[in-house]
Amino acid sequence: MAEKFDAIIVGAGPAGNAAAYTLAKAGLNILQLERGETPGTKNVQGAILYADALERIIPDFRDDAPLERHIIEQRMWILDDRSFIGSNYRSDEFNSERPNRYTILRAPFDKWFSGKVKEAGGLVICETTVTELIRDGEKVIGVRTDREGGDIYADVVILADGVNSLLATKAGFHKEIEPKNVALAVKEIHFLPEEVVESRFNIKGEEGVVIEIFGSVTHGMVGTAFLYTNRESITLGIGCMVSDFKKGNVAPYTLLEELKNHPAIAPLIEGGEMKEYAAHLIPEGGYKAVPQMYGDGWMLVGDSAGLVNAVHREGSNLAMTSGRLAAETVIALKQANKPCTAANLIRYKDAMDESFVMKDLHKYRELPGILHNNPHFFSVYPELLNRAAHTMLTVDGEDKHSKEKMIRKSFVQRRTLWGLMGDAFRMWRATR
Amino acid sequence: MSENTPTPAAPKGKKRLELDPRLAAYKGIWVFVEMERGQVHPVSWELMGEGRKLADVLGVELGAIVLGGDLKQTTTAAETAFTYGADVAYMVADAILTDYRNEPYTKAMTDLVNKYQPEILLLGATTLGRDLAGSVATTLLTGLTADCTELAIDPDNRGLLATRPTFGGSLLCTIQTLNYRPQMATVRPRVMSMPEAQPGRTGRLVTDTLGMNEADIIAKVLSFIPDQDQEKAQLAYANLIVAGGRGMGKAENFQLIWDLAEVLGAEVGGSRPVTHAGWLTADRQIGQSGKTVRPNLYIAAGISGAIQHRVGMEGADVIIAINNDPNAPIFDFATYGIVGDALKILPALTEAFRSRLAVDRRAG
Amino acid sequence: MHIVVCIKQVPDSAQIRVHPVTNTIMRQGVPAIINPFDLYAIEEALHLKDKMGGRVTVLTMGPPQAEDALRKAIAYGVDDVVLLTDRAFAGADTLATSFALAQAIRKIGEATPVDLVFTGKQTIDGDTAQVGPGIAKRLGLQLLTYVSTVDEIDLEQQTITVQRRSEGGVQVIKTRLPALITMLEGTNKIRFASMDDMFRSARFAVPQWNKDRAGIEDVSKIGLKGSPTVVSKVFAPKPKAVKAQMIGADGDTPQAKAAALLDVLTSQHPRLANELGLIAG
Ligand SMILES: Cc1cc2nc3c(=O)[nH]c(=O)nc-3n(C[C@H](O)[C@H](O)[C@H](O)COP(=O)(O)OP(=O)(O)OC[C@H]3O[C@@H](n4cnc5c(N)ncnc54)[C@H](O)[C@@H]3O)c2cc1C
Ligand SMILES: Cc1cc2nc3c(=O)[nH]c(=O)nc-3n(C[C@H](O)[C@H](O)[C@H](O)COP(=O)(O)OP(=O)(O)OC[C@H]3O[C@@H](n4cnc5c(N)ncnc54)[C@H](O)[C@@H]3O)c2cc1C
Ligand SMILES: Nc1ncnc2c1ncn2[C@@H]1O[C@H](COP(=O)(O)O)[C@@H](O)[C@H]1O
């Protein structure tokens, strides 16, 4: 006899776990399927966790979640080949009772989250891949897995299977993701003794630092790099748009190698033992690339709906929030004894539109296009800025006024005045 | 050693290291001379060499335990044991012991230990040695340290310091068996070097009886199928080895390894990814979970030199590493390194050897 | 027929890291797996059950998290599992481990007598291959190590015939039940669980036994106290002082590098060169 559930959740990332936990907690009979050996094994390690989204799901998560460090300092570095110019924001206020951002390692974090799903009464089965959706006409009525006797039925299937959801593509819920809407990021973790991490970043206890990196390290491609401090490791990664990688002849790994060898970065990871090299896609098409997120008997949550705010590198919070809202929609329908038809699941979309998720994505809707069409943001500016800083900071007998003039001239030379003003305007409009 | 996590023990009070006086009666070092089908396994002589050193440090006798089915064979083995350093040989020859069977061998060994009381008992970590060691240790309720890579005597308490790899070879740990005797350890073949035999050296021969009837023994050996592939046993004892790793790219490229090996008259081995991918048979794997080798010459092509591989081959006299990555870890411990594409270097080496060896042959 | 399989949950040693300064194991993020060698034991037991009927119970001693390993065993289709877990077991070496496991097997056998016990060849963390023989001796079972094939089991006559690896060949050996088999690697391939088995596994309530439940009274035989061996030192392997002497320069042809190498061998290693029959070029 095939099993039947109130809901099946495909994937045990942040989106799937949020949905599964919320549903199980409300007493629904749910099944969560994950293809990895354990939740988190297939997921890219090292990330920032935004507390707010999780707090709305598990208010006291700080008690036992495997958090690495809370962030007390954010650095923004613009690199050219040999130097960087940057800004820092560090505040003791981040050392509050309930810090807002944490670094985490995805594997233990996802495992913890999944444990919460089980505690709440959800049935979680790993090492099982959903190969297709079972449909009755338009309506999704279950999933087929790669195991013998693998058909399982449910009133609603929530797809939380991550970026490039093959299931959704196969079912025709959205088209295959376009290279210009997806970034490829590569990450490494470098293990270092806790004391070394703390002394190199001037932090203590649970404090952590994040460095956002732009500039010549991406070879002019649209992309960014980042560095996070974990308890006894450092996450280092770089990502660029897949369409750019396709054009250029730089491999993602080469970028990461160059980043590691950059004079500003190398001393920070020196002596570390590299473990885990991982590559992963990030949907960065933004608002305009978000597909329809619901239909008869199905919903998309998290990365599989393309919910990533590339500007602020937020993903997991959007994923968790969408998972929670999808679950709440189902719970409400159950309570009202209503079926999970497209007409009823539209409430999920409404709730999403009301939330910060769609509002934020809407705010930055123009940005992907602008960055895409203006590669000099990632090549010319970093170099100019670094030279400017160098000029100003070199004490060589030249007066400051002349130096400023030189800098201005160099900017206008490389990029016309109109170009500069246009850039400024476009950026202002896109992030307004 | 299976359960305890080797975290460095907290500094122990001297008291724990003080030996129970009842155990002080245990004296001497024993090496089990492993014989199967009349052949002594070379690991026994390697251990004899090691046992000799320990016995000299302690100033005690070195004993050889010879068990077998044929009196002539066991006597020859005992005499050979003397030439490798044994002072005394304890011998049990009984038809029951013709084939290795756990029960009678365990009994023979435990009886001898209980009667003559050695302080240290060493066995080869072969299939036979591990089968026997585990059974003897449990029967005697004493400690056993498996797969040691180094044996020494603690100058403070005259106890055995048995060092072995742990956590897949990433660390070493030293283990002591404190208030139990004998202190048992096994060592894998080729981990210790083969001592020089001293022809004419003799010792005391003590013969004992087994005290069992064939009818008492439940297990019967129905047949023995010797390994077909004669090469199998030879890798561990090869003098010349050419080995390839994942850097060889694909199975077909291994022909280059075989070509060089043929010119040199060498054996062929490989790293784990290579045997896992089926480019070589599993018995040609060298390293932690494969064979330990100790050749005079080891040529490694496209092998990174991971610790698990390294522990299996670093005993080689001369290691030549070919790798296209100048930072490959293997260059940290090889004797000579060539940076370059193995697919190009290997044929060149084969050619160079062929011509120079050919010259030699013509001259000779 | 009742078969007990002993498995151990081990850290995936491929992912273990050593703290560069303190030389301690950094466990953070290292996944735990079923000792790979034990999977052959599970599969062989299930195969025998498929053929002859009976039940398979899987036993492990370890921390509460070892439940994951047992759950996996259930998915493969075993009938029952026991998690032997108690603080008093901590720090056990092989002698103490085999004592505790033997006791638990005795207890398991009280309900349904045990005909056959399987263990893996060895673990990848302890790597001693002693626990199997240890259990056999303590329970007075016939010991069959490094078994590649179980040829025949005769429940009527209470006999078993197996092929086992020994130095230089394969022994075909016949003995009496109950017996303990340590299974050789590469002898079978663990099955892929069906969806039904996955459901059963996810819902299974794993029984936990403490020392009392296992019928262990004498605490001096378990855990650290029951272990004759003591780890006195843990350290990293010594890096070799001298690095490789590099042969040839960057632009050299492979031929030039090969020739240079042979020159060094002949001049620096006359004995080796002699053995090879190498002469100066
Ligand atoms: C390099 C990089 C850095 C990032 N940094 C951050 C950051 O710092 N902060 C942040 O908030 N976000 C970050 N993100 C984004 C964030 O990781 C994602 O937005 C988030 O993981 C999305 O969660 P999800 O649950 O939708 O998908 P995922 O986390 O991808 O989870 C999907 C799960 O579904 C499983 N699955 C897939 N297909 C199937 C199938 N057919 N059957 C069964 N299971 C299946 C997968 O194994 C996986 O476990 C980063 C992303 C990348 C790539
Ligand atoms: C518990 C455990 C037990 C293990 N036991 C063993 C064991 O017994 N034996 C064993 O070997 N490993 C063992 N391993 C695996 C070990 O950790 C390494 O993964 C393995 O040794 C790597 O094999 P490799 O050097 O062939 O491959 P890699 O590490 O992939 O190295 C390939 C090398 O080839 C080089 N290369 C690539 N192309 C070329 C070219 N064209 N020309 C020249 N060089 C090239 C590369 O630079 C690289 O250095 C074990 C691991 C674990 C966890
Ligand atoms: N803690 C344990 N629980 C259950 N079985 C074990 C345990 N430790 C070892 N074993 C079994 O004994 C075999 C040999 O282990 P070892 O002696 O550690 O190499 C393993 O393959 C397991 O089958």
Side-chain angles (χ1 to χ4, degrees):
Chain A
M1 247 297 283
E3 305 245 2
K4 163 108 204 266
F5 293 86
D6 291 335
I8 291 175
I9 300 94
V10 182
N17 284 336
Y21 177 82
T22 309
L23 289 165
K25 189 104 175 121
L28 272 69
N29 178 25
I30 60 124
L31 171 67
Q32 187 179 26
L33 294 164
E34 164 61 46
R35 71 180 163 193
E37 193 164 353
T38 56
T41 42
K42 291 249 166 130
N43 295 331
V44 170
Q45 291 264 26
I48 305 290
L49 174 77
Y50 303 89
D52 179 70
L54 182 55
E55 220 166 357
R56 285 169 198 267
I57 301 165
I58 305 180
D60 53 359
F61 76 91
R62 291 182 181 86
D63 293 351
D64 54 1
L67 306 169
E68 293 285 309
R69 294 173 179 278
H70 65 262
I71 296 153
I72 63 147
E73 179 178 333
Q74 172 100 18
R75 302 181 191 169
M76 177 92 83
W77 286 4
I78 301 173
L79 302 190
D80 75 355
D81 288 343
R82 276 176 333 210
S83 46
F84 74 87
I85 177 165
S87 67
N88 282 14
Y89 181 66
R90 179 178 175 124
S91 170
D92 196 39
E93 277 175 40
F94 288 129
N95 278 323
S96 73
E97 280 280 288
R98 309 167 77 76
N100 177 255
R101 292 188 303 160
Y102 295 90
T103 54
I104 54 166
L105 295 175
R106 280 290 299 274
F109 178 81
D110 287 6
K111 206 168 170 199
W112 165 85
F113 205 167
S114 176
K116 292 282 165 190
V117 175
K118 288 182 211 162
E119 274 173 33
L123 198 62
V124 182
I125 294 184
C126 293
E127 290 183 276
T128 303
T129 305
V130 173
T131 51
E132 61 184 308
L133 300 177
I134 307 174
R135 305 176 85 160
D136 178 8
E138 273 304 293
K139 192 171 163 49
V140 171
I141 55 167
V143 300
R144 179 158 296 151
T145 68
D146 59 344
R147 295 191 181 269
E148 186 198 317
D151 287 7
I152 314 163
Y153 298 89
D155 293 337
V156 64
V157 174
I158 299 178
L159 289 180
D161 54 342
V163 60
N164 208 6
S165 167
L166 294 176
L167 292 171
T169 319
K170 211 161 152 186
F173 299 161
H174 56 61
K175 288 205 275 303
E176 212 158 313
I177 194 161
E178 285 178 63
K180 73 170 172 42
N181 285 337
V182 58
L184 177 69
V186 289
K187 271 198 205 183
E188 280 181 359
I189 291 209
H190 293 256
F191 279 86
L192 286 165
E194 205 168 325
E195 319 80 71
V196 174
V197 174
E198 287 170 5
S199 73
R200 279 190 194 166
F201 292 86
N202 187 25
I203 46 180
K204 59 181 192 306
E206 320 253 279
E207 297 169 346
V209 171
V210 164
I211 309 179
E212 294 281 343
I213 301 156
F214 305 85
S216 62
V217 281
T218 58
H219 284 237
M221 296 188 285
V222 177
T224 59
F226 49 88
L227 183 154
Y228 311 145
T229 56
N230 305 315
R231 192 170 297 274
E232 49 179 39
S233 59
I234 288 170
T235 301
L236 188 66
I238 186 164
C240 293
M241 301 309 287
V242 170
S243 49
D244 282 348
F245 276 129
K246 278 195 162 165
K247 268 184 275 171
N249 28 25
V250 208
Y253 189 65
T254 314
L255 290 185
L256 188 57
E257 280 300 306
E258 287 178 9
L259 179 66
K260 284 194 292 185
N261 288 321
H262 191 282
I265 304 292
L268 296 177
I269 57 168
E270 192 193 322
E273 188 185 350
M274 200 275 275
K275 283 272 159 164
E276 286 170 280
Y277 166 78
H280 198 83
L281 297 175
I282 310 179
E284 295 201 344
Y287 189 80
K288 294 185 171 176
V290 173
Q292 166 140 350
M293 292 189 290
Y294 67 96
D296 261 341
W298 60 270
M299 283 184 276
L300 301 181
V301 295
D303 276 8
S304 73
L307 303 175
V308 165
N309 180 346
V311 181
H312 292 274
R313 199 186 300 288
E314 292 173 26
S316 61
N317 52 337
L318 282 65
M320 286 185 214
T321 303
S322 63
R324 174 174 59 86
L325 295 176
E328 285 170 2
T329 306
V330 174
I331 295 165
L333 290 178
K334 276 274 149 193
Q335 278 164 355
N337 239 329
K338 290 188 180 161
C340 292
T341 56
N344 287 333
L345 291 177
I346 195 168
R347 296 181 192 183
Y348 165 51
K349 180 188 181 303
D350 295 344
M352 286 289 283
D353 286 343
E354 274 308 299
S355 74
F356 81 95
V357 176
M358 296 315 278
K359 286 184 181 160
D360 279 0
L361 290 179
H362 187 260
K363 172 171 147 96
Y364 295 118
R365 67 194 178 282
E366 302 296 348
L367 196 66
I370 289 176
L371 294 181
H372 208 73
N373 295 323
N374 299 277
H376 48 272
F377 278 124
F378 298 90
S379 51
V380 179
Y381 285 152
E383 193 191 324
L384 289 175
L385 282 171
N386 275 283
R387 274 212 224 131
H390 193 79
T391 311
M392 282 311 275
L393 293 173
T394 309
V395 178
D396 55 1
E398 192 88 46
D399 67 284
K400 298 294 185 263
H401 184 71
S402 312
K403 284 194 183 212
E404 276 173 21
K405 249 167 65 192
M406 265 167 60
I407 292 167
R408 260 201 305 277
K409 209 169 123 203
S410 72
F411 269 70
V412 180
Q413 254 170 12
R414 294 292 298 274
R415 183 111 181 101
T416 64
L417 197 56
W418 283 116
L420 281 171
M421 284 169 61
D423 287 345
F425 177 70
R426 276 188 295 266
M427 283 303 282
W428 170 73
R429 210 184 49 192
T431 57
R432 182 167 46 122
Chain B
M1 240 319 285
S2 128
E3 280 300 309
N4 55 12
T5 306
T7 33
K12 296 230 161 40
K14 268 282 164 242
K15 207 164 136 255
R16 267 213 82 172
L17 297 177
E18 217 66 66
L19 190 63
D20 185 328
R22 274 170 303 168
L23 297 177
Y26 284 77
K27 278 253 171 311
I29 295 177
W30 283 10
V31 172
F32 172 61
V33 177
E34 173 176 334
M35 240 194 332
E36 201 155 23
R37 322 242 112 210
Q39 287 282 321
V40 175
H41 197 295
V43 70
S44 306
W45 306 142
E46 292 159 19
L47 279 179
M48 204 64 80
E50 205 57 26
R52 184 68 261 165
K53 290 181 213 156
L54 300 179
D56 289 343
V57 173
L58 286 173
V60 296
E61 274 192 337
L62 176 65
I65 311 304
V66 188
L67 310 178
D70 179 282
L71 184 64
K72 232 167 68 200
Q73 282 173 1
T74 50
T75 313
T76 313
E79 281 163 359
T80 317
F82 296 139
T83 69
Y84 282 109
D87 301 311
V88 49
Y90 301 90
M91 184 172 87
V92 179
D94 190 311
I96 291 176
L97 300 172
T98 304
D99 280 301
Y100 174 75
R101 279 176 295 174
N102 178 271
E103 204 178 343
Y105 268 71
T106 304
K107 180 172 187 313
M109 186 72 116
T110 46
D111 283 354
L112 286 173
V113 169
N114 285 331
K115 189 164 168 188
Y116 299 102
Q117 304 194 322
E119 59 201 294
I120 292 173
L121 174 54
L122 308 176
L123 299 91
T126 59
T127 52
L128 191 163
R130 284 180 152 212
D131 181 288
L132 181 60
S135 305
V136 169
T138 316
T139 311
L140 296 170
L141 296 178
T142 188
L144 164 59
T145 308
D147 281 0
C148 302
T149 50
E150 208 184 308
L151 299 172
I153 300 294
D154 186 336
D156 288 342
N157 61 11
R158 295 169 56 89
L160 179 67
L161 295 169
T163 298
R164 70 184 303 265
T166 181
F167 286 110
S170 6
L171 286 179
L172 296 171
C173 63
T174 301
I175 291 175
Q176 282 182 279
T177 300
L178 299 171
N179 274 316
Y180 300 82
R181 289 293 179 270
Q183 309 161 79
M184 293 180 61
T186 64
V187 178
R188 296 211 306 184
R190 292 311 250 165
V191 167
M192 305 297 179
S193 57
M194 182 64 104
E196 293 276 336
Q198 296 163 265
R201 194 176 177 287
T202 59
R204 199 153 49 83
L205 186 66
V206 179
T207 26
D208 252 84
T209 50
L210 179 63
M212 281 181 118
N213 294 317
E214 183 57 48
D216 300 339
I217 298 158
I218 299 157
K220 306 286 176 207
V221 175
L222 304 185
S223 61
F224 185 86
I225 310 155
D227 290 332
Q228 286 302 307
D229 188 354
Q230 273 309 321
E231 289 169 351
K232 263 188 180 156
Q234 277 160 28
L235 187 60
Y237 285 91
N239 283 327
L240 307 168
I241 293 176
V242 185
R246 179 151 45 198
M248 291 303 293
K250 54 181 178 195
E252 296 82 76
N253 293 344
F254 250 77
Q255 192 52 47
L256 301 177
I257 301 272
W258 288 103
D259 290 347
L260 177 57
E262 196 195 334
V263 168
L264 294 175
E267 269 294 344
V268 169
S271 63
R272 189 168 79 164
V274 161
T275 56
H276 274 198
W279 302 352
L280 281 181
T281 49
D283 56 297
R284 291 189 182 275
Q285 181 180 319
I286 291 166
Q288 167 91 9
S289 47
K291 300 230 155 53
T292 304
V293 298
R294 228 177 214 287
N296 298 332
L297 176 65
Y298 189 91
I299 301 180
I303 294 179
S304 60
I307 184 73
Q308 291 88 359
H309 188 77
R310 176 177 171 176
V311 294
M313 44 68 83
E314 66 184 339
D317 282 346
V318 175
I319 298 170
I320 296 168
I322 305 166
N323 198 305
N324 61 4
D325 173 6
N327 297 318
I330 195 160
F331 292 132
D332 291 345
F333 60 93
T335 329
Y336 298 107
I338 298 182
V339 176
D341 183 353
L343 306 183
K344 298 207 175 80
I345 303 283
L346 280 171
L349 257 184
T350 307
E351 221 19 75
F353 272 117
R354 201 197 303 277
S355 63
R356 291 219 206 163
L357 297 176
V359 172
D360 184 40
R361 238 170 269 144
R362 237 179 293 140
Chain C
M1 185 169 55
H2 188 190
I3 305 175
V4 172
V5 185
C6 298
I7 68 169
K8 187 180 181 192
Q9 191 184 46
V10 296
D12 187 349
S13 57
Q15 307 206 26
I16 273 180
R17 299 175 303 274
V18 178
H19 191 293
V21 182
T22 59
N23 274 333
T24 47
I25 293 293
M26 312 209 292
R27 286 174 182 277
Q28 199 186 26
V30 179
I33 55 173
I34 294 184
N35 176 37
F37 292 118
D38 299 348
L39 293 176
Y40 301 106
I42 296 179
E43 178 56 35
E44 195 62 28
L46 288 172
H47 174 73
L48 288 176
K49 180 193 156 174
D50 290 346
K51 221 166 67 178
M52 317 186 48
R55 49 187 289 114
V56 176
T57 305
V58 169
L59 166 67
T60 193
M61 177 175 104
Q65 307 86 280
E67 183 184 318
D68 293 347
L70 292 178
R71 218 169 267 293
K72 211 154 184 185
I74 296 164
Y76 293 130
V78 311
D79 299 278
D80 204 356
V81 294
V82 172
L83 172 57
L84 192 58
T85 187
D86 198 313
R87 286 188 160 272
F89 295 134
D93 72 357
T94 51
L95 196 71
T97 301
S98 64
F99 175 79
L101 290 173
Q103 255 337 95
I105 293 169
R106 250 187 216 120
K107 265 278 170 245
I108 292 170
E110 280 176 9
T112 321
V114 176
D115 303 286
L116 203 52
V117 177
F118 275 96
T119 72
K121 179 182 96 162
Q122 67 202 59
T123 49
I124 59 167
D125 61 343
D127 200 5
T128 72
Q130 288 163 18
V131 170
I135 296 170
K137 288 292 136 186
R138 290 182 181 277
L139 293 175
L141 307 175
Q142 288 293 306
L143 174 63
L144 298 165
T145 50
Y146 306 104
V147 169
S148 55
T149 326
V150 176
D151 282 341
E152 198 190 2
I153 291 182
D154 186 335
L155 287 173
E156 203 99 308
Q157 300 292 318
Q158 284 284 297
T159 59
I160 178 169
T161 308
V162 302
Q163 298 183 26
R164 63 175 294 269
R165 167 126 297 276
S166 72
E167 293 300 310
V170 174
Q171 240 183 11
V172 183
I173 200 160
K174 181 173 181 174
T175 191
R176 188 201 65 200
L177 293 175
L180 182 141
I181 288 177
T182 79
M183 203 64 202
L184 199 64
E185 77 272 23
T187 42
N188 56 37
K189 195 164 183 309
I190 190 75
R191 56 197 59 196
F192 190 61
S194 72
M195 203 62 231
D196 283 347
D197 284 330
M198 295 303 286
F199 276 120
R200 185 167 162 265
S201 151
R203 291 178 173 134
F204 203 91
V206 170
Q208 296 201 356
W209 288 15
N210 60 12
K211 66 175 178 21
D212 301 329
R213 177 69 184 79
I216 296 169
E217 279 145 27
D218 187 355
V219 285
S220 75
K221 292 208 172 113
I222 56 171
L224 204 55
K225 276 204 196 108
S227 304
T229 58
V230 171
V231 179
S232 62
K233 192 168 103 184
V234 179
F235 55 103
K238 266 199 289 297
K240 209 161 159 174
V242 274
K243 298 199 169 191
Q245 176 184 334
M246 301 312 271
I247 305 290
D250 250 359
D252 290 358
T253 62
Q255 286 69 26
K257 287 178 181 169
L261 177 70
L262 264 56
D263 288 342
V264 177
L265 283 183
T266 28
S267 62
Q268 302 298 312
H269 304 274
R271 246 175 71 185
L272 178 63
N274 199 23
E275 184 185 338
L276 289 165
L278 198 62
I279 58 151

